[in-house]
Amino acid sequence: MFFRENEKVCLFIDGANLYSASRNLGFDVDYRNLLTFFRNHCNVIRAYYYSAVLDTEEYSPLKPLTDWLAYNGFFLVTKSAREFTDQNGRRRIKGSMDIELAVDMMEIAPHIDHAVLFSGDADLRRLVESVQRQGVRVTVISSVKTNPPMVGDELRRQADQFLDIVDIAPEFTRRTGDSNQQNDIPNPTIPFTD
């Protein structure tokens, strides 16, 4: 992993994408340890977490996680999700956060040296290219070890550095179903689609 100690770094976490990757790989993300891990390797000036939230329910399973993140060093960016039923009659929730993430990354680019993008969404390739033209290095964190791969090939190739989440996961994860580890960080239980 290539980070310079003095460079100003901003984390951009696509919550739904990271959730899908971690579930597919069989672990839960410990967000406290994730933030600590990056702060130990570089100068993190911001850590954004993007999540669409379903407003139609009185209680959302994402609420405890988003509340925890907002009070523990993350800049939470949310918007209302849209609920629909797919062709198979299954309940689905759609809430892409690509535009919000892109706006934030473009606005902060002149003030940072390195952007770390937790997403595999190939739609973000053009954003990465634009930020790189402003002199910002971009690391993409996702996975090619899932089936199918969670990262679009175009995005992976555009990044200055690609890190497979599997390779750094032991630093900030807990295994799904690990009841021996006590932790106060809630986990979301509803998968969102883009």
Side-chain angles (χ1 to χ4, degrees):
M1 190 166 66
F2 182 58
F3 287 95
R4 297 182 186 113
E5 204 173 305
N6 301 357
E7 68 183 350
K8 292 180 277 185
V9 176
C10 189
L11 307 179
F12 298 89
I13 302 169
D14 177 342
N17 200 282
L18 179 56
Y19 174 80
S20 293
S22 66
R23 282 292 180 224
N24 199 315
L25 295 165
F27 61 79
D28 290 328
V29 175
D30 183 324
Y31 289 94
R32 176 182 291 121
N33 288 344
L34 182 138
L35 198 52
T36 300
F37 172 74
F38 280 94
R39 284 180 172 162
N40 288 341
H41 286 89
C42 53
N43 178 19
V44 177
I45 60 167
R46 290 273 162 82
Y48 290 100
Y49 183 91
Y50 299 86
S51 180
V53 182
L54 193 59
D55 289 334
T56 58
E57 296 177 351
E58 208 168 288
Y59 172 78
S60 167
L62 279 173
K63 185 79 171 126
L65 174 65
T66 56
D67 285 349
W68 187 92
L69 291 169
Y71 287 106
N72 287 279
F74 289 84
F75 288 81
L76 187 63
V77 181
T78 63
K79 75 175 180 186
S80 294
R82 184 175 57 89
E83 185 176 0
F84 67 98
T85 304
D86 69 10
Q87 64 269 20
N88 298 321
R90 292 182 299 218
R91 176 181 176 226
R92 296 285 188 203
I93 300 167
K94 185 169 182 71
S96 175
M97 297 296 293
D98 292 355
I99 298 297
E100 291 78 5
L101 192 152
V103 168
D104 289 343
M105 191 179 287
M106 290 297 289
E107 284 183 347
I108 204 166
H111 308 287
I112 62 173
D113 304 306
H114 195 156
V116 178
L117 175 61
F118 282 82
S119 181
D121 190 340
D123 291 343
L124 298 173
R125 187 207 64 81
R126 195 75 172 102
L127 167 66
V128 169
E129 180 184 25
S130 179
V131 169
Q132 288 170 325
R133 282 195 308 266
Q134 296 180 54
V136 176
R137 289 187 325 110
V138 180
T139 295
V140 170
I141 299 177
S142 189
S143 186
V144 294
K145 297 178 181 172
T146 57
N147 191 13
M150 291 294 297
V151 64
D153 195 50
E154 305 87 8
L155 180 64
R156 185 175 58 84
R157 290 174 190 265
Q158 184 66 49
D160 294 295
Q161 174 177 232
F162 171 74
L163 296 175
D164 199 299
I165 197 165
V166 170
D167 298 332
I168 58 174
E171 301 293 334
F172 54 79
T173 62
R174 55 185 176 218
R175 289 280 157 208
T176 303
D178 185 359
S179 60
N180 294 333
Q181 186 170 354
Q182 296 295 319
N183 205 317
D184 60 342
I185 304 169
N187 293 304
T189 57
I190 294 179
F192 286 85
T193 60
D194 281 336

